[in-house]
Amino acid sequence: MFMQKKRHETLGVAGVETEEGITGLLDGQAPFGDSYRIADVGTTSEGKALLAEYVAGKTMFYYPTLSTVDELVEFIESNSGNEHVVPMAHDTDELLGVGLAALASGNFFGRWWQKFKTVTGVEVSTFKADEVNAIEQAGGNTYIRVSGRNVISDGKVTSGEFADIVETEHYLVDNLRQRMWNILVENDKVPYTQKGIDLFHGGMRSVLDLATDEGILATNEQGGATYQTSAPRRDEINVEYVKARVLPDLKFVAIPTGAIGSVKIEGHLTFDMGVAVDG
């Protein structure tokens, strides 16, 4: 189960069955260490709800596996505002969430998406076609066989967003926070001058440049960056910010690369050699 290709992150797995046990686990300091992804085995519905609540608002993901379509739908509805839960449905193998979390841990999201991926050691579900459709309509994910391959059916979190878009947000927040912190601690003092403001503006742009190079943010047709940034001029900043030593209004707009999940093709057959394809 943990022998997915390229596994390198620390994966947190909760194997506590009772609600009291889960509560006790989560009350501990850093119960999952530095794990970015967690999954569970043998956990009750109440325990799953507590784990989902735990990751809400944190920079981490939870991969629960529900055994029926009804359980999945109810779980998604209860967590519709949570962008940190990747809901899985499998009627015979509760380890699907664990396997997918392990697989995701070994792949960088800027170049990887969970949809269409094979999870080693997990058999496909036995859900009927209408049940699979219901799972996907609800915004869930399951494990199916298509064209001779075992694949994850989709790549969404309970809010309906795609997991890799949420990971993009996590990446930018974490790296921007770290870059700003590094500027503060690696300088004796950053003066509240245009030079000091430009130092932070440049730090923000360096993070966006790296995200572009890593395939997280979109490029233009020439392969160049598409993000835009702005920073205030020193003489534009309210004096109260200056007195409080707070630099406001560093801003950026960036486009995530996203992914193509389906293709539409339009065509027709003709014997007329002069017919051109409309662009």
Side-chain angles (χ1 to χ4, degrees):
M1 180 52 56
F2 296 102
M3 299 304 293
Q4 308 299 330
K5 294 182 178 179
K6 301 181 183 178
R7 183 175 64 87
H8 58 76
E9 288 179 3
T10 300
L11 173 64
V13 180
V16 184
E17 295 185 7
T18 65
E19 183 176 355
E20 292 78 10
I22 289 290
T23 301
L25 172 68
L26 299 182
D27 283 344
Q29 188 175 21
F32 300 105
D34 60 356
S35 299
Y36 180 53
R37 306 174 201 276
I38 64 173
D40 63 305
V41 179
T43 309
T44 63
S45 58
E46 293 80 6
K48 292 180 188 299
L50 289 171
L51 287 167
E53 182 180 352
Y54 175 80
V55 301
K58 291 183 174 64
T59 308
M60 61 191 310
F61 281 104
Y62 168 43
Y63 293 74
T65 302
L66 292 304
S67 60
T68 70
V69 177
D70 289 342
E71 288 179 359
L72 178 80
V73 171
E74 181 179 357
F75 182 86
I76 290 174
E77 290 175 349
S78 299
N79 294 278
S80 60
N82 194 335
E83 291 196 328
H84 302 105
V85 179
V86 183
M88 310 302 299
H90 202 302
D91 50 351
T92 61
D93 195 337
E94 68 171 338
L95 291 177
L96 176 60
V98 177
L100 178 58
L103 180 61
S105 294
N107 290 276
F108 182 64
F109 72 94
R111 297 179 289 273
W112 188 87
W113 182 31
Q114 73 181 46
K115 187 172 183 177
F116 312 121
K117 300 304 181 291
T118 299
V119 181
T120 302
V122 176
E123 296 295 325
V124 296
S125 70
T126 60
F127 290 125
K128 296 180 174 61
D130 61 333
E131 293 176 308
V132 172
N133 288 336
I135 290 168
E136 294 181 350
Q137 286 295 319
N141 313 276
T142 188
Y143 199 44
I144 57 178
R145 189 165 183 81
V146 180
S147 299
R149 293 186 65 125
N150 299 347
V151 296
I152 296 293
S153 64
D154 213 333
K156 294 182 178 180
V157 297
T158 48
S159 69
E161 184 58 271
F162 289 106
D164 58 302
I165 299 301
V166 181
E167 288 183 272
T168 297
E169 296 173 1
H170 290 175
Y171 177 95
L172 292 175
V173 168
D174 280 357
N175 282 273
L176 286 167
R177 182 185 291 120
Q178 187 63 52
R179 185 70 186 108
M180 298 302 105
W181 173 252
N182 288 346
I183 292 172
L184 290 169
V185 300
E186 291 173 359
N187 289 275
D188 292 335
K189 182 178 80 169
V190 181
Y192 214 127
T193 61
Q194 192 60 49
K195 184 177 180 180
I197 295 169
D198 291 344
L199 185 61
F200 285 104
H201 187 198
M204 178 176 71
R205 291 184 64 88
S206 71
V207 170
L208 298 173
D209 282 337
L210 179 60
T212 301
D213 293 341
E214 293 282 12
I216 299 168
L217 299 180
T219 57
N220 56 29
E221 292 181 359
Q222 290 74 43
T226 58
Y227 69 80
Q228 301 177 52
T229 66
S230 65
R233 302 296 302 173
R234 171 62 180 83
D235 57 8
E236 299 172 342
I237 299 174
N238 187 298
V239 68
E240 294 302 319
Y241 282 118
V242 179
K243 290 164 63 177
R245 303 194 170 191
V246 175
L247 174 58
D249 299 329
L250 282 181
K251 299 179 181 180
F252 73 88
V253 175
I255 303 170
T257 54
I260 297 173
S262 62
V263 180
K264 292 185 177 181
I265 298 175
E266 180 179 341
H268 67 276
L269 298 177
T270 176
F271 290 102
D272 186 349
M273 298 291 288
V275 174
V277 176
D278 293 332

